[in-house]
Amino acid sequence: VARIAHFGSRAIRRSSFGEFFSSPPSFHRLVCKMGYAGYAPGNKVAEALTPLQQALRSLPLEKAQEILELLEKVTRNVVRNPGEEKFRSLKLTNPKIAASVADAPSMVDALKDMGWVQEGEMLVLPPSVRLAHEVHVVGLIDAKDWWKKEAENEKRRQTRAGKMDDEQKEIIQKMELDRKEKEAEGPVLHGSVAKKLGDGPNIMRAGDVGIGKSSGGG
């Protein structure tokens, strides 16, 4: 495959891909700036969501921030006090936790994805599991930012929908008003009226062509 790299006014032709590796460093830098396989520099392929991210993004919109605050508090306690047993167990019967789980069952999935294990009515974090601030706490902060944007997008969608509803109502009201006005006017009747022809110069009578006249002198 022929490859051409332009350096100012000069052009260097590479007749084979193997010569790329023996080309000057400046050529390498140029190719890197141009991108690889046709992709422009800076364009990133969307990465697949982790199970934890999927669980955090499946929370109900109206409860997402509240539940994420609770998860962040629990996670920070473990990160700051990794050896404290009281921070490594959660009672699902706790009123606050029970209410959150009832609103969003995926909260339990998120905790399990972080390493928590369910034992009856308890969630326990095994001693072998270590939660890291840069992974778990930061992941929860990222989820809060994501849900904040989702809330803003939903607000914009509702605003647009409200405007459309108002416009539709206005059109329907106008159509109904036009219909009532036409009903009030009643039907329009056009009767046939006989028109009298005048005696203008263009009117020809039978007598003008000799019809009905006697051929004698009388």
Side-chain angles (χ1 to χ4, degrees):
V1 178
R3 296 177 181 272
I4 299 178
H6 297 276
F7 297 89
S9 59
R10 294 186 301 121
I12 301 176
R13 185 176 186 276
R14 302 295 177 186
S15 59
S16 66
F17 184 74
E19 290 181 341
F20 169 83
F21 298 100
S22 59
S23 58
S26 55
F27 177 76
H28 294 180
R29 289 194 295 270
L30 177 63
V31 173
C32 291
K33 289 181 180 179
M34 293 171 59
Y36 176 72
Y39 293 103
N43 286 354
K44 296 182 179 180
V45 179
E47 296 179 358
L49 296 178
T50 65
L52 176 58
Q53 289 174 322
Q54 292 176 4
L56 295 177
R57 294 189 183 188
S58 63
L59 300 171
L61 176 61
E62 63 279 4
K63 294 288 184 178
Q65 292 295 344
E66 179 182 344
I67 293 173
L68 288 170
E69 287 286 350
L70 177 59
L71 289 174
E72 185 179 348
K73 180 180 179 181
V74 169
T75 305
R76 284 184 181 275
N77 284 338
V78 175
V79 171
R80 291 169 181 167
N81 308 278
E84 288 285 344
E85 290 298 327
K86 64 179 181 179
F87 294 129
R88 303 181 73 89
S89 62
L90 298 172
K91 292 182 179 180
L92 294 176
T93 55
N94 177 287
K96 191 170 185 178
I97 294 178
S100 298
V101 172
D103 291 333
S106 58
M107 172 183 168
V108 176
D109 296 332
L111 287 167
K112 289 180 178 179
D113 287 328
M114 285 192 280
W116 293 79
V117 178
Q118 186 168 357
E119 296 179 359
E121 296 182 346
M122 298 282 292
L123 281 172
V124 179
L125 192 63
S128 58
V129 177
R130 291 288 183 268
L131 299 185
H133 180 277
E134 62 274 13
V135 176
H136 301 96
V137 175
V138 171
L140 290 167
I141 294 174
D142 289 343
K144 289 166 67 176
D145 292 340
W146 187 85
W147 276 112
K148 182 179 179 181
K149 293 178 182 178
E150 281 298 296
E152 293 172 353
N153 292 337
E154 180 62 23
K155 186 176 181 180
R156 283 194 288 267
R157 283 193 291 265
Q158 291 180 358
T159 301
R160 288 195 297 268
K163 289 181 179 179
M164 292 180 62
D165 289 342
D166 291 341
E167 292 175 357
Q168 290 174 352
K169 288 179 181 178
E170 185 178 349
I171 293 173
I172 293 173
Q173 290 174 354
K174 189 176 184 303
M175 292 174 63
E176 182 66 14
L177 183 61
D178 291 343
R179 184 184 66 81
K180 290 180 179 180
E181 288 178 354
K182 290 181 181 180
E183 289 181 353
E185 292 174 359
V188 179
L189 301 177
H190 300 281
S192 58
V193 180
K195 295 182 180 180
K196 181 180 178 180
L197 296 176
D199 295 332
N202 294 327
I203 302 300
M204 184 176 291
R205 296 176 176 82
D208 295 336
V209 293
I211 299 176
K213 288 186 177 181
S214 174
S215 57

